[in-house]
Amino acid sequence: MALPSAKPRYEQNGLTVPYITSWSSEQMTMPAVRVSADKYGAQLAFQDENPMDRDQHGVIWVRQGLGRGRGRAHFPLVHAYRQRRAMFDLLCQVCGGSTLDESFNRQLYVMNSADGSPIDEGELTTAPPVCTGCAPEAVVSCPRLADKFVAAWVESAYSWGVAGILYDPRTLQPVTGEVIRVPFTDVRVRWMIATRSVSALCGVTAVNLAGLTMASCSAKLRAMVTSAV
């Protein structure tokens, strides 16, 4: 069972609001862009860039306000910074606590699977892990998991790249309005404004989520998990 989290927990309409969910007070902004250069060559930059705009890989990220718990929760929307932090630090996407408190050797991942296909070895995901005690709430509260989900223990999740908007180096305009995934090994990552961190999952072992979490579910969540698998 997951250890208690020191982070506050919020509810809306009877549902737990996951740690990575965006709130109405947390507006996302796209500042004006320009071309800058580092020792590796030209890259996209914000006109008023500050050191907080880039991650440890040097990729520039969308700006988003911090106001968790203020306003209304937008369940379908993920907060860019909290998602990135949860992916890097292996925080539970529901409570925000460290999944390493349960195990240093493996983490639990719950992902959408419309056709019921299991999580594959090397699969790419923007979903942070969950602690076992929060897994039922993830299934109930996350719109992406409402139809069908699968779960697996994962021995390691390495940082593969980012998802976001790709810009044209010549026009400094978005190449497309679609969010795309680009690995850190691809030169295009230098022309991205990232909105999500992407990890590759290794050491994958499928798990029956209902059986794993049954002891820690409330009666309401137990019924929902059982009916969904």
Side-chain angles (χ1 to χ4, degrees):
M1 185 173 180
L3 297 178
S5 172
K7 295 179 174 62
R9 298 184 72 145
Y10 301 97
E11 288 190 359
Q12 184 172 290
N13 299 329
L15 296 176
T16 296
V17 180
Y19 170 72
I20 62 172
T21 296
S22 285
W23 292 74
S24 58
S25 62
E26 300 180 310
Q27 297 300 308
M28 188 178 292
T29 59
M30 288 281 199
V33 297
R34 61 183 175 87
V35 176
S36 71
D38 61 10
K39 62 181 179 180
Y40 301 109
Q43 63 180 352
L44 191 70
F46 290 146
Q47 290 282 8
D48 58 347
E49 186 173 322
N50 64 67
M52 297 297 291
D53 288 326
R54 294 185 185 272
D55 63 18
Q56 67 271 28
H57 299 281
V59 179
I60 198 163
W61 276 71
V62 66
R63 289 180 183 170
Q64 187 167 9
L66 296 174
R68 184 170 176 247
R70 297 201 297 269
R72 297 283 297 174
H74 294 318
F75 282 97
L77 302 180
V78 173
H79 191 278
Y81 171 75
R82 287 196 294 274
Q83 186 268 354
R84 177 173 40 144
R85 187 182 171 208
M87 297 288 278
F88 183 77
D89 292 330
L90 297 179
L91 303 182
C92 173
Q93 63 174 281
V94 177
C95 71
S98 175
T99 60
L100 297 175
D101 290 339
E102 288 190 321
S103 173
F104 282 98
N105 299 319
R106 62 181 188 175
Q107 277 66 50
L108 178 65
Y109 282 78
V110 181
M111 295 168 55
N112 173 267
S113 179
D115 61 0
S117 298
I119 299 173
D120 292 328
E121 183 70 19
E123 184 157 340
L124 302 179
T125 184
T126 60
V130 295
C131 47
T132 54
C134 289
E137 294 179 276
V139 170
V140 173
S141 300
C142 179
R144 292 172 296 174
L145 303 178
D147 296 328
K148 188 70 175 180
F149 60 87
V150 290
W153 289 113
V154 173
E155 295 177 8
S156 63
Y158 73 87
S159 188
W160 175 88
V162 295
I165 303 299
L166 176 65
Y167 278 66
D168 188 310
R170 297 162 299 178
T171 66
L172 297 186
Q173 296 296 316
V175 173
T176 172
E178 300 290 330
V179 172
I180 65 170
R181 295 178 176 182
V182 175
F184 292 124
T185 55
D186 191 324
V187 69
R188 292 179 301 166
V189 78
R190 298 176 62 80
W191 302 97
M192 294 279 289
I193 294 183
T195 58
R196 302 282 188 279
S197 177
V198 181
S199 290
L201 307 182
C202 301
V204 176
T205 303
V207 63
N208 185 323
L209 183 60
L212 178 68
T213 61
M214 200 61 70
S216 60
C217 294
S218 67
K220 177 182 177 182
L221 292 177
R222 187 181 303 125
M224 291 181 176
V225 172
T226 303
S227 64
V229 296

